[in-house]
Amino acid sequence: MNPSCGKVYLVGAGPGDPELITVKAASLLKQAEVVLYDYLVNKELLEYCQTGCELVYVGKKKDKHTYPQEELNDLLVHFAQQGKTIVRLKGGDPFVFGRGAEEILKLIEHQIDYEVVPGITSGVAVPAYMGIPVTARHVASSVTFVTGHPAVSGKDVVDWQAMAKASDTIVVYMGVSNAARIANELVAGGKADNTPVALIRWGTYPQQEMLTSSLKNLEQDMQMAGFKPPALMVIGEVVNFTKQLQPIIQSVKTKELIYV
Ligand SMILES: C[S@@+](CC[C@H](N)C(=O)[O-])C[C@H]1O[C@@H](n2cnc3c(N)ncnc32)[C@H](O)[C@@H]1O
């Protein structure tokens, strides 16, 4: 490692609720000289930062790429070469659909010291806040975390038909714009068309919203609700738990869009 360079911490910020950050992450935010943070990071977490800490927004919204990944990697190197202590704060966990590995490879290339601080991924916490356990005995013995983002070529990167039979619960990140296609493919692959689906928007934030539907009705229900990202899609029988568990464990109020 190059001793004249600073250190970069790749830190998970958790899914949104500011209390769902780790003790280690909060302590690093207090020490940081530069923090680069994403769109899905709760901005309240920046209150941990000391006066004078440089805050750099590198967030991306869908189709509005504020920072191409390559430029972001260069920015990390740039600050590290100034000898600074840097926190790269990412929504959820840095290694779950977070491109954390790409950033680290760039740091290694420049002999820059780094550390990864895992965070609570939205794929588990967001359903949990809605009373949806991603696994449950006798109901779901397997769960798959998957991206719903279609490939640039327009071809799916995931074999949805194969997944239909392979996993009890399917948790889809970044799947809102492709949701109807995913539902159709899963049914074509053998999932029952009445399989429950939950779409949860801004989960664990005070403005969280949930739409519940089925694979068969999903497209129509989303249109009726005008459902928009960012959201997580949970597919499987575990969604039914929300009817019993949501009022008990939910810590923030939820706007229910549709309830089947
Ligand atoms: C680029 S991925 C990053 C995932 C993140 N690294 C994690 O572990 O949660 C972004 C996607 O995560 C999901 N997501 C993250 N936070 C969310 C939240 N609070 N509510 C609903 N979905 C969320 C959405 O599907 C969003 O499009």
Side-chain angles (χ1 to χ4, degrees), residues 15 40 91-93 96-98 121-122 126 173-174 200 202-203 205 230-232:
L40 285 169
D93 180 273
V96 180
F97 303 119
T121 187
S122 57
V126 165
Y173 294 68
M174 297 168 285
I200 308 156
W202 287 120
Y205 279 87
L232 201 80

Side-chain angles (χ1 to χ4, degrees), residues 95-215:
F95 277 176
V96 180
F97 303 119
R99 303 183 76 165
E102 292 170 50
E103 292 175 17
I104 289 177
L105 288 172
K106 190 74 179 186
L107 298 174
I108 292 173
E109 201 183 298
H110 289 266
Q111 296 186 302
I112 294 165
D113 198 9
Y114 70 88
E115 196 175 321
V116 179
V117 180
I120 298 180
T121 187
S122 57
V124 175
V126 165
Y129 264 42
M130 296 295 167
I132 302 173
V134 293
T135 68
R137 213 146 67 98
H138 309 306
V139 177
S141 304
S142 57
V143 54
T144 302
F145 298 99
V146 61
T147 172
H149 216 289
V152 181
S153 62
K155 204 167 169 279
D156 282 327
V157 283
V158 173
D159 184 344
W160 295 105
Q161 294 202 20
M163 192 170 297
K165 291 250 167 82
S167 185
D168 296 325
T169 306
I170 303 173
V171 178
V172 186
Y173 294 68
M174 297 168 285
V176 172
S177 59
N178 207 19
R181 180 175 158 72
I182 293 169
N184 289 338
E185 285 290 299
L186 289 174
V187 172
K191 271 244 184 276
D193 65 2
N194 63 355
T195 303
V197 180
L199 269 167
I200 308 156
R201 179 165 194 263
W202 287 120
T204 80
Y205 279 87
Q207 72 271 29
Q208 67 183 358
E209 293 177 349
M210 177 165 70
L211 179 155
T212 49
S213 182
S214 61
L215 287 176

